[in-house]
Amino acid sequence: MIIPPPPPVSPRRVAALAVAVCLLVAGCSASGDTSDSGTASAGKAGGSGLRIALITHAPEGDTFWDLVRKGAETAAAKDGIQLSYAGDPDAAGQAELVRDAVRDKVDGIAVTLAKPQAMRGPIAAAEAAGIPVVGLNSGIDSWQSGGLLEFFGQDESVAGRAVGDKLDGLKVKHALCVIHERGNVALEARCAGVKKTFGGETENLYVDGTDTKAVAAVITSQLRQDPTVDEVVTNGAQFALTAVASVKDAGSKARVATFDIDKDLVKAVKSGAVQFAVDQQPYLQGYLAVDSLWLYRTNGNVSGGGVSPVLTGPAFVTKANVDAVAKFAAQGTR
């Protein structure tokens, strides 16, 4: 992959963008603001003057993505960047958000590739406009072919295989792997990884992650129908907590484990309600993605040399080590 030199940022453009930031962010403060449209801005007076767009496949109200966003905003405040954030779980909607950022002539874009094919056209448009694009969280197998400069995240297949090994060590016999979004390459890769290394039976269970009551009902029904299931593996902290309630409602003896954490999930691991969690460090993903664009635009740096992803996980959080994570989870950064 040939890495193009970063487009220059002229003093005139920096000055113009700094003025724009002052007009948009009252008092030119570094605290940032959030509008009703779902976008967020962060920056500081006298900063780089760069405008960066972070565009994800996140649904509204997902605590995992709050951590990604928080990390991105921290990096933006440090680097003096005007950051805009938007998310849409619909692939076409996310693609249009990327096109909007290109039309807005931002200085860089960070994007998730949950459904890589849908992002190819918008990313190509960004490249044609001279806008650098980096990937985060989803799409570790697609970022290079998709034309991205860098990628920050977890190898989901590796994480899944590690979970499979963990289940073997716990003497699990029959696991449900709950997928809350059909077609999401990261979730499919996780469950495929579990199946590859787990010596017992693995069964994928598809649910609608936008409807918590429906998720609970489907898991409960499955556990009642098949009492041999002794482990429920979810792909998100909130789904793990739902699964804990479903196990109880079904009168099942199954245990619960999950990918991803938040402060409530950390408490559940500490209490023993959830056996373990796989942490891919979403705060770090958001932080590195935004900071990398600043480094590229100001110093020509490319993390991983454009050929290797920067891995942020996986790491297991168990009852034995949860206290080391809990203090950061409480402050909203893990």
Side-chain angles (χ1 to χ4, degrees):
M1 177 180 181
I2 299 175
I3 302 170
V9 182
S10 69
R12 181 177 297 178
R13 178 164 173 72
V14 170
L17 287 172
V19 171
V21 171
C22 290
L23 291 174
L24 290 170
V25 183
C28 297
S29 75
S31 61
D33 74 274
T34 303
S35 69
D36 293 336
S37 65
T39 59
S41 299
K44 61 184 178 182
S48 67
L50 296 174
R51 294 187 303 135
I52 302 298
L54 170 60
I55 300 167
T56 75
H57 62 281
E60 243 181 278
D62 191 312
T63 55
F64 176 91
W65 293 101
D66 290 343
L67 293 173
V68 173
R69 180 172 173 174
K70 195 166 190 175
E73 289 174 344
T74 301
K78 177 182 74 73
D79 297 332
I81 286 170
Q82 171 110 12
L83 175 71
S84 65
Y85 172 85
D88 195 326
D90 176 68
Q94 186 190 7
E96 190 57 31
L97 290 172
V98 177
R99 293 189 184 96
D100 286 343
V102 173
R103 286 190 283 266
D104 195 36
K105 299 180 181 179
V106 297
D107 298 295
I109 298 172
V111 66
T112 60
L113 301 177
K115 294 170 183 173
Q117 197 59 37
M119 295 298 109
R120 286 188 177 274
I123 290 170
E127 290 180 330
I131 300 172
V133 184
V134 301
L136 71 154
N137 180 260
S138 299
I140 196 167
D141 295 323
S142 306
W143 69 277
Q144 281 183 295
S145 61
L148 275 61
L149 282 174
E150 306 162 71
F151 182 86
F152 305 90
Q154 174 176 267
D155 188 321
E156 304 295 6
S157 180
V158 169
R161 295 198 298 271
V163 168
D165 288 335
K166 186 82 167 175
L167 296 181
D168 280 337
L170 293 170
K171 309 301 182 185
V172 174
K173 302 299 181 185
H174 185 177
L176 286 181
C177 196
V178 182
I179 296 178
H180 58 267
E181 183 185 348
R182 284 186 179 272
N184 185 317
V185 294
L187 306 186
E188 295 284 355
R190 288 175 177 178
C191 290
V194 172
K195 189 172 185 176
K196 188 169 185 178
T197 57
F198 176 46
E201 181 182 352
T202 305
E203 183 180 352
N204 288 358
L205 182 66
Y206 291 87
V207 297
D208 179 2
T210 64
D211 187 338
T212 302
K213 289 183 178 179
V215 172
V218 172
I219 296 175
T220 300
S221 176
Q222 189 69 18
L223 291 174
R224 284 175 176 163
Q225 288 176 28
D226 192 347
T228 68
V229 173
D230 57 352
E231 190 81 31
V232 180
V233 179
T234 64
N235 278 286
Q238 70 272 43
F239 303 112
L241 299 177
T242 298
V244 169
S246 291
V247 167
K248 184 177 180 181
D249 290 343
S252 171
K253 295 181 180 179
R255 301 299 305 275
V256 177
T258 191
F259 293 88
D260 301 335
I261 67 171
D262 62 20
K263 61 182 180 180
D264 293 326
L265 192 283
V266 165
K267 292 176 184 176
V269 171
K270 192 167 185 175
S271 72
V274 173
Q275 281 182 300
F276 66 85
V278 179
D279 183 17
Q280 63 173 306
Q281 302 187 96
Y283 177 93
L284 185 61
Q285 292 174 6
Y287 184 97
L288 293 177
V290 170
D291 197 44
S292 72
L293 286 166
W294 175 76
L295 285 167
Y296 178 70
R297 293 303 306 259
T298 60
N299 202 48
N301 298 121
V302 177
S303 298
V307 295
S308 298
V310 177
L311 299 180
T312 62
F316 282 106
V317 177
T318 68
K319 201 167 184 177
N321 65 4
V322 68
D323 285 340
V325 177
K327 61 180 179 180
F328 301 112
Q331 70 187 25
T333 55
R334 286 292 290 274

